[in-house]
Amino acid sequence: MNSISSNNNHNQQMRIMRTTMKKMKKKSSSSSNEEDLYHVIHKVPQGDSAYVKAKRAQLIERNPEAAIVLFWKAINVGDRVDSALKDMAVVMKQLDRSEEAIEAIKSFRSRCSKQAQESLDNVLIDLYKKCGRLDEQIELLKRKLRLIYQGEVFNGKPTKTARSHGKKFQVSVKQEISRLLGNLGWAYMQKSNYLTAEVIYRKAQMIDPDANKACNLGHCLIKQGRFDDAGSVLGDVLQGKIPGSEDDKAKNKARELLMEVKAFQPPLELSDIVGLDDEFFNGLELLMNAYAPVRSKRLPIFEEISSFRDQLAC
């Protein structure tokens, strides 16, 4: 009897132990799943390293100053340097410390992998734009275009994987060239070199057209006094002939620029208003010239454009 009782006690203890272990395992699994879900929701990596702490400070605690200090620490100890340097530059830009971010990338990009260099260039382009350092922005954009032409970016493939706001997507060679040309055209516009900007925007539109670059092209043409050409380009946007024309922002921009075109266009000639024939109208012009001071029928802005063109011709 004692033997049977001892066996029953032993079996009961074993059942209790198995039940307890199952509960502990389930709790551990649940805790692990909750932790995984936490990192997914907040888009922060797992761990307790300097880089992980920096991301927590940036994304969860919303403390950009603390994040920058921790990103610096991650770079110095070699913890995910590629991501740390890029993320730190982005945070600095948000705090209007773009000049400091530029110097940081230039000083520490040598510690980053070859694969990280292109994304660092993209961050630099945005920083140059933010700081108004147009010559450096233009030079970097040209260099990136040369690298594409030399096959060093896409490695002979028609597409590559890009990342924006934490999401991955495929970009074609045409899309990337057109994007870079659009940025290059914008930079030349800021330098008031509208003729060069026009040429670049037209090339970009030939490769991969979109409504935003069409509006910028229209702006270039307006600045050159070529209002009919500008009206034609902007009209294509409003008529939905260009990809992206359905975007409200692009439509509104096109409408604003068309209003500018109409404001600069000269008034209708008298013959257009009353429908007079050319012979009669020319005779009327001679009569007016005989009894009135000589004056141009064009608005002052056209006189300025004409003198500018004469200077270019020389």
Side-chain angles (χ1 to χ4, degrees), residues 59-127:
L59 299 176
I60 299 174
E61 299 166 11
R62 304 292 181 181
N63 189 341
E65 295 288 355
I68 290 173
V69 173
L70 290 165
F71 280 131
W72 272 123
K73 183 177 179 181
I75 293 169
N76 288 327
V77 300
D79 179 21
R80 304 193 192 188
V81 179
D82 292 0
S83 298
L85 181 56
K86 185 179 73 171
D87 291 344
M88 183 179 72
V90 171
V91 175
M92 285 179 169
K93 180 187 173 185
Q94 294 169 349
L95 295 177
D96 290 326
R97 293 167 60 180
S98 296
E99 293 284 357
E100 187 180 345
I102 290 171
E103 296 309 313
I105 291 178
K106 287 183 174 182
S107 299
F108 291 95
R109 69 182 306 167
S110 60
R111 298 190 185 186
C112 299
S113 66
K114 183 179 179 181
Q115 292 75 18
Q117 299 304 317
E118 185 183 355
S119 61
L120 288 173
D121 280 344
N122 290 333
V123 175
L124 264 181
I125 288 171
D126 286 340
L127 291 169

Side-chain angles (χ1 to χ4, degrees), residues 192-208:
S192 299
N193 191 339
Y194 300 112
L195 184 58
T196 300
E198 177 201 344
V199 172
I200 292 171
Y201 275 125
R202 288 195 184 279
K203 287 184 178 294
Q205 290 296 81
M206 290 172 63
I207 295 170
D208 187 44

Side-chain angles (χ1 to χ4, degrees), residues 118 144-145 147-162 169-180:
E118 185 183 355
K144 286 178 70 68
L145 285 166
L147 290 174
I148 293 176
Y149 294 144
Q150 293 167 3
E152 296 184 26
V153 177
F154 284 80
N155 298 316
K157 299 177 181 178
T159 62
K160 69 169 184 174
T161 301
F169 56 95
Q170 292 296 308
V171 177
S172 69
V173 177
K174 287 185 176 182
Q175 288 172 331
E176 182 66 0
I177 292 175
S178 182
R179 182 185 72 84
L180 292 173

